Amino acid sequence: MTDEKTILLNEHGDPISVEPTDADDNALVSVADERPQSLIIIPLDEHVLFPGMTLPIVLEQTKAREALEFALSQGPFISLVPRKEPVAEDQIRPLVPDDLLDTGILARVLKLLNLPDGNRSAVVECITRCRLLRFVRQSPFLIAKVDYPPDTYEDTLENKAMWRASRMSLQELFKEIPGLPEGFNVAAANLDGPAQLTDFVAAHIDLPRDARLKLLRETKVELRLRMVAEALTGELELARLAGRIREEIRDKVEKTQREYYLREQLKAIRRELGEEVDQRDLISDELKQKIEEKDLPEEAAKRAKKELSRLEVLNPESPEYNVINTYLDWIISLPWNTETKDSADLVRAREILDEDHYGLGEVKDRIIEFLAVRKLKPDQKGAILCFAGPPGVGKTSLGQSIARTLDRKFFRFSLGGMRDEAEIKGHRRTYIGAMPGKILQGLKQVGVCNPVFMLDEIDKLGSDWRGDPSSAMLEVLDPAQNVGFLDHYLDIQFDLSRVMFICTANVKANIPRPLLDRMEVIDLPGYILDEKVAIAEQYLVARQLEAHGLEASQVKFAKAVLPKIVTGWTAEAGVRNLERAIGRICRKVAAKIASGEVTSERITTNRLPDYLGKQTAFKAQLGRRPRIGTAVGLAWTPVGGDILRIETTRMPGNGRFHVTGQLGEVMKESVDIAVSYIRHNHKYFNIDPEIFLHENLHVHFPAGAVPKDGPSAGVTITTALISLLSGKRGIRPAAKMAMTGEMTLSGEVLPVGGIREKVLAAQHAGVETVIIPKRNKRDVEEIPTHVIDGINFVYAGKYLDVFDSALGDEPNPPATAKKPARKAAAKR
């Protein structure tokens, strides 16, 4: 410039005066000077430009627009300098010279454009590299002294080869990239030397920003050429790979389009010929639509589409066609993600349980606790519930009540007698008539993936050469495994973790141990007389009246009738036979009312034989006077407790003993233990040891047609044998006594099960004294007090306690009793 002063604008847009510090500093951009010594610096946030480029740049910042306008007032040249590090959009900080690279581009502004969003765009022509020597001014704009370093190039054979290879790679790259404008090929063909090639490649090839900055700062052309050659080689490999992928996709698309076109032509020809619509196409279209509409998991959707493709090419007459069609129907019909919303109202849950079942307070509390945990942690994978108890106590109906409390669908199927593993996990599709197992069949029937599944009679699973269903149930009932339950027919993993499984069993001992470990067992004991009468009054009578079309006013039961039915016509732990008896009465009354014989009927105890026939259940009698060699035990049966008489006798012989009464192995072992214990302690019980050498013993358990097993008759067998061998009269005449407990060889009395049922049987039979193991005392405490009123309990820790209570008219002190036994054993 020729002016003595340069006019600049401050931050507020007011003109300021800048005094040049020397002659060189006054040489700002002028129109006449093609390479000025001082330039206005325009920073570039992300872009890196190279010589030979002509492109628009958008100036979003106010400072940059003002700097450009000021530069254009002095001449057409500016310097475009990239930042060392790109600035994120959310970062706003003042520009300082240290943020800029030391190398930029001398650019000529060809045109200014106003954009609709208020920004301005400048079309610039990049001329050459310029190096920033020092900054003349920093405010209000950056003005720097610059120089223009020349490119250096050694014309060696290696550099010529690299230049030729780079040019050929660039031409190959343009061939691999379809759709490029013709101008790119023309520009590449007219590159004048290696320097232009490197700048052209750096400007148009996608390189990392660090590499672009390095290429901008580098003035040695051979180094730039080597970097560009490596970049071209990498880009060419990527382009060829992309080309192969593109060709594969195009071939698939063309094949699909061709098949679709041919099918449409075939349909049109059939319509023109008046032929009926192809049923195979209808079935395929319908299945395809259902697969797309169904929210299938990824694995199931992939399998369904694969099988559908096979179906479309099969002849409908082929047997495989129907197999695939049925398989697809199963995949579509299963509720993969359809579920109901659980109810979290625990108060309502308690009301439903009380409404459906009488008593069972502890069982109801456990169910409420179970539901409370699921409310607090819905995805909790807790134990599987198992209701164990005699028939007719309400196990199945409890499962239905749980389903009601949760607002879930309910499905029940019985496992009793199931012997084929395929009933649980399905048959493979290679078999004719193959189907999924009961689990998936139940899910399809209820239509949701989170029902309540009642697995009834799990203790009656069988096994034979066809498989072991209990082993198949291990995967179903294990929360850690049933997330990926695999049915043989479906062969796709199905998530069973949202299903609530509830099992029922009559005898826990019959459940396989690995299966029992996966379940939380809730015992449902048999009902006592008062509970049965209450259940009949509140539930059974009303239900049977409704079932037989009777009004409550038409049938009246006297107060003593229901207890009499329980004790005289039913012998069970539950109320199933009681309900049948009530139903039988209702049928006879309904017949009379329907025939016009009566309008209403009052049922009394005297008339019960007319409705129910002769009395079938009788109170067990202990006998007026106990005999030598007999004792009364208490037994548990699937229908409740019962008394068990044991008889023994002796006869001349050779020391053998017989056991009769259809006994199991455990009960036979109890007899062996009793005999061994008595022989070892014969002195204490005043028994002649010669009896075991010259006489035979016979132990009999009456009701020989009824199978019996278990260890709880040990103390009763021992007492009966001691009574026989010692000549004692048996149980004391003044005491109506019964006993239960397992014996050991050392004389300890171990705890047994079924105490509640056994005590109820004793009370029903008129027993006044019951001997039970000491460790079963807590079971007695759980029995209602009014039920055991009048019964004296003796808690035995050792057999000597049993002997003293039952047979010991003049018992010896236990301390002196043990010494002879140990001395005799030592002599033997």
Side-chain angles (χ1 to χ4, degrees):
M1 288 185 57
T2 58
D3 296 340
E4 293 182 358
K5 293 183 178 182
T6 302
I7 305 300
L8 298 177
L9 301 178
N10 61 15
E11 296 177 355
H12 303 287
D14 300 327
I16 61 174
S17 183
V18 178
E19 295 290 343
T21 57
D22 53 38
D24 290 338
D25 291 345
N26 196 31
L28 291 176
V29 178
S30 68
V31 177
D33 192 354
E34 289 296 332
R35 294 193 175 185
Q37 301 303 310
S38 299
L39 289 172
I40 299 291
I41 305 300
I42 304 295
L44 299 177
D45 290 337
E46 295 184 1
H47 298 291
V48 181
L49 304 183
F50 292 89
M53 300 176 64
T54 300
L55 75 165
I57 58 173
V58 179
L59 305 175
E60 297 181 351
Q61 299 181 4
T62 305
K63 278 282 188 182
R65 292 197 297 267
E66 293 176 353
L68 180 64
E69 292 174 356
F70 176 76
L72 292 180
S73 67
Q74 307 298 319
F77 296 104
I78 58 174
S79 179
L80 301 174
V81 182
R83 292 179 184 264
K84 294 178 182 177
E85 297 292 338
V87 180
E89 296 181 358
D90 57 349
Q91 293 180 347
I92 301 176
R93 65 170 187 258
L95 178 67
V96 295
D98 288 341
D99 291 341
L100 298 178
L101 197 69
D102 62 351
T103 304
I105 291 294
L106 173 65
R108 178 186 287 111
V109 180
L110 302 180
K111 191 173 183 180
L112 279 179
L113 301 173
N114 294 321
L115 300 180
D117 58 359
N119 295 327
R120 301 199 72 182
S121 174
V123 181
V124 297
E125 176 189 4
C126 300
I127 300 174
T128 186
R129 289 174 174 79
C130 62
R131 182 180 293 115
L132 307 185
L133 300 178
R134 61 187 177 88
F135 286 92
V136 179
R137 293 285 184 268
Q138 296 186 26
S139 178
F141 314 118
L142 289 177
I143 301 176
K145 291 279 290 182
V146 300
D147 68 353
Y148 305 94
D151 289 337
T152 61
Y153 177 71
E154 295 183 6
D155 193 12
T156 63
L157 187 62
E158 181 181 356
N159 289 341
K160 287 181 179 179
M162 193 178 303
W163 144 250
R164 179 176 297 178
S166 300
R167 187 171 55 184
M168 294 177 62
S169 296
L170 184 61
Q171 293 173 355
E172 290 293 328
L173 182 61
F174 286 154
K175 293 179 182 179
E176 294 292 339
I177 302 177
L180 283 177
E182 186 65 26
F184 273 83
N185 293 330
V186 175
N190 290 279
L191 292 175
D192 187 13
Q196 286 189 5
L197 175 67
T198 59
D199 291 339
F200 182 85
V201 172
H204 295 94
I205 299 299
D206 186 16
L207 298 176
R209 191 173 189 273
D210 293 342
R212 297 167 71 87
L213 293 177
K214 189 175 181 181
L215 284 171
L216 179 63
R217 298 181 72 249
E218 186 60 59
T219 57
K220 293 184 177 180
V221 177
E222 55 268 22
L223 295 181
R224 295 208 308 259
L225 193 60
R226 182 173 297 276
M227 288 189 288
V228 165
E230 294 176 357
L232 284 174
T233 302
E235 286 293 323
L236 183 58
E237 290 299 323
L238 287 176
R240 286 172 176 169
L241 178 59
R244 288 196 296 269
I245 295 174
R246 191 167 53 250
E247 286 294 327
E248 291 176 2
I249 294 175
R250 186 174 63 208
D251 291 342
K252 290 181 180 178
V253 172
E254 289 178 354
K255 180 181 179 181
T256 302
Q257 291 177 343
R258 182 170 62 254
E259 291 177 354
Y260 174 78
Y261 176 71
L262 292 175
R263 288 195 183 97
E264 290 299 319
Q265 277 188 327
L266 185 59
K267 290 179 182 178
I269 293 172
R270 284 176 176 164
R271 283 195 299 268
E272 290 295 329
L273 294 175
E275 295 181 354
E276 295 183 358
V277 179
D278 191 349
Q279 293 297 321
R280 183 176 64 177
D281 291 342
L282 286 178
I283 294 174
S284 299
D285 294 341
E286 182 180 354
L287 290 174
K288 186 181 298 183
Q289 182 179 358
K290 288 181 178 179
I291 292 172
E292 293 174 353
E293 294 175 353
K294 191 81 171 178
D295 185 19
L296 296 177
E298 181 180 355
E299 182 184 2
K302 183 178 179 181
R303 177 67 66 85
K305 292 177 181 178
K306 179 180 178 181
E307 295 295 329
L308 182 60
S309 301
R310 293 180 58 199
L311 186 71
E312 290 175 345
V313 299
L314 284 176
N315 189 332
E317 303 298 328
S318 171
E320 186 71 13
Y321 185 87
N322 290 327
V323 172
I324 297 177
N325 190 11
T326 305
Y327 178 75
L328 288 172
D329 184 66
W330 269 103
I331 292 180
I332 296 169
S333 301
L334 288 174
W336 296 92
N337 295 300
T338 306
E339 58 183 334
T340 55
K341 185 178 180 181
D342 287 353
S343 172
D345 190 349
L346 296 182
V347 176
R348 176 173 171 269
R350 171 67 75 172
E351 292 174 352
I352 291 175
L353 291 174
D354 291 339
E355 177 185 339
D356 292 348
H357 298 86
Y358 176 84
L360 303 177
E362 185 177 349
V363 176
K364 293 177 182 177
D365 291 341
R366 180 62 190 90
I367 294 173
I368 293 297
E369 293 168 4
F370 184 84
L371 299 178
V373 172
R374 293 187 72 89
K375 175 183 177 180
L376 298 178
K377 188 174 177 59
D379 58 344
Q380 192 258 357
K381 299 175 181 178
I384 309 298
L385 292 182
C386 178
F387 297 141
V393 295
K395 300 185 293 296
T396 303
S397 59
L398 270 175
Q400 294 172 334
S401 298
I402 292 175
R404 282 184 59 199
T405 61
L406 291 173
D407 286 339
R408 290 193 180 191
K409 299 289 186 67
F410 180 79
F411 181 80
R412 171 195 168 275
F413 72 92
S414 177
L415 299 174
M418 186 177 292
R419 296 179 177 273
D420 191 353
E421 174 192 350
E423 292 288 336
I424 305 296
K425 302 198 67 173
H427 299 80
R428 300 192 182 278
R429 283 196 290 158
T430 53
Y431 295 98
I432 297 176
M435 288 187 66
K438 284 285 187 180
I439 303 297
L440 293 189
Q441 290 182 34
L443 288 173
K444 179 183 178 182
Q445 182 174 334
V446 297
V448 293
C449 63
N450 64 335
V452 174
F453 249 57
M454 175 67 76
L455 305 177
D456 229 348
E457 312 293 350
I458 197 168
D459 58 327
K460 296 177 179 61
L461 279 172
S463 63
D464 58 12
W465 57 271
R466 289 169 291 185
D468 185 4
S470 63
S471 300
M473 292 300 297
L474 294 177
E475 181 183 3
V476 176
L477 298 182
D478 191 342
Q481 299 182 37
N482 62 13
V483 176
F485 173 71
L486 190 65
D487 185 273
H488 290 157
Y489 176 83
L490 199 64
D491 201 24
I492 303 173
Q493 290 187 350
F494 194 96
D495 185 4
L496 295 180
S497 62
R498 290 170 285 187
V499 179
M500 183 176 182
F501 289 101
I502 300 176
C503 305
T504 69
N506 296 132
V507 183
K508 286 188 296 184
N510 294 340
I511 303 176
R513 188 67 190 179
L515 199 57
L516 188 63
D517 288 342
R518 285 163 168 78
M519 300 184 291
E520 181 172 348
V521 180
I522 299 178
D523 291 307
L524 276 70
Y527 295 114
I528 62 178
L529 175 62
D530 294 346
E531 291 175 338
K532 291 181 180 180
V533 173
I535 292 172
E537 291 175 346
Q538 298 181 26
Y539 302 97
L540 305 183
V541 171
R543 190 156 64 196
Q544 289 300 317
L545 289 176
E546 182 182 356
H548 294 87
L550 297 173
E551 300 291 337
S553 60
Q554 294 177 309
V555 183
K556 296 291 185 180
F557 288 86
K559 187 175 182 179
V561 167
L562 294 176
K564 183 64 176 177
I565 296 175
V566 173
T567 57
W569 279 268
T570 63
E572 58 178 346
V575 292
R576 194 166 289 158
N577 289 328
L578 176 59
E579 185 171 8
R580 292 194 185 103
I582 296 172
R584 186 174 179 183
I585 295 173
C586 291
R587 286 195 299 273
K588 291 187 179 295
V589 174
K592 291 182 179 182
I593 294 176
S595 62
E597 184 178 342
V598 296
T599 57
S600 63
E601 188 83 353
R602 176 176 172 79
I603 313 300
T604 61
T605 55
N606 296 332
R607 302 188 61 187
L608 282 178
D610 298 335
Y611 292 99
L612 300 177
K614 293 181 180 181
Q615 184 174 340
T616 56
F618 297 92
K619 196 179 222 182
Q621 299 297 325
L622 295 177
R624 296 181 180 179
R625 187 177 184 84
R627 298 191 305 271
I628 292 176
T630 64
V632 178
L634 297 174
W636 178 93
T637 68
V639 295
D642 198 1
I643 64 172
L644 178 66
R645 290 185 178 86
I646 297 178
E647 300 175 347
T648 61
T649 187
R650 51 194 283 192
M651 62 204 76
N654 55 1
R656 299 177 62 184
F657 67 90
H658 302 277
V659 180
T660 56
Q662 198 172 350
L663 307 183
E665 292 297 326
V666 177
M667 190 167 278
K668 290 179 181 178
E669 291 175 357
S670 297
V671 177
D672 294 336
I673 293 171
V675 173
S676 298
Y677 174 77
I678 294 171
R679 294 184 67 175
H680 181 72
N681 299 282
H682 65 91
K683 287 186 178 182
Y684 178 81
F685 301 117
N686 297 322
I687 298 174
D688 184 2
E690 296 297 323
I691 295 175
F692 300 104
L693 300 177
H694 304 295
E695 293 188 17
N696 291 343
L697 303 179
H698 189 167
V699 181
H700 177 64
F701 296 79
V706 180
K708 309 169 191 69
D709 201 4
S712 62
V715 297
T716 313
I717 298 169
T718 306
T719 302
L721 286 172
I722 291 176
S723 171
L724 173 71
L725 300 176
S726 65
K728 290 184 177 290
R729 185 174 294 280
I731 306 301
R732 295 176 181 178
K736 295 181 178 180
M737 183 178 292
M739 61 192 71
T740 183
E742 179 181 354
M743 273 281 295
T744 68
L745 283 173
S746 60
E748 292 187 19
V749 180
L750 301 182
V752 293
I755 292 296
R756 175 187 169 102
E757 289 78 7
K758 292 176 180 178
V759 172
L760 293 179
Q763 188 265 351
H764 191 265
V767 173
E768 296 177 358
T769 301
V770 176
I771 303 176
I772 65 172
K774 183 179 294 185
R775 279 186 277 178
N776 282 123
K777 184 177 181 180
R778 64 181 185 276
D779 298 315
V780 176
E781 294 172 350
E782 295 177 356
I783 303 174
T785 306
H786 69 278
V787 176
I788 57 177
D789 283 344
I791 299 179
N792 177 39
F793 288 91
V794 176
Y795 300 101
K798 295 186 176 181
Y799 179 74
L800 294 180
D801 301 328
V802 180
F803 179 80
D804 293 343
S805 300
L807 299 172
D809 295 331
E810 295 179 358
N812 297 323
T816 61
K818 294 181 180 178
K819 291 179 181 178
R822 286 197 293 271
K823 288 180 180 178
K827 290 180 181 179
R828 289 194 295 270

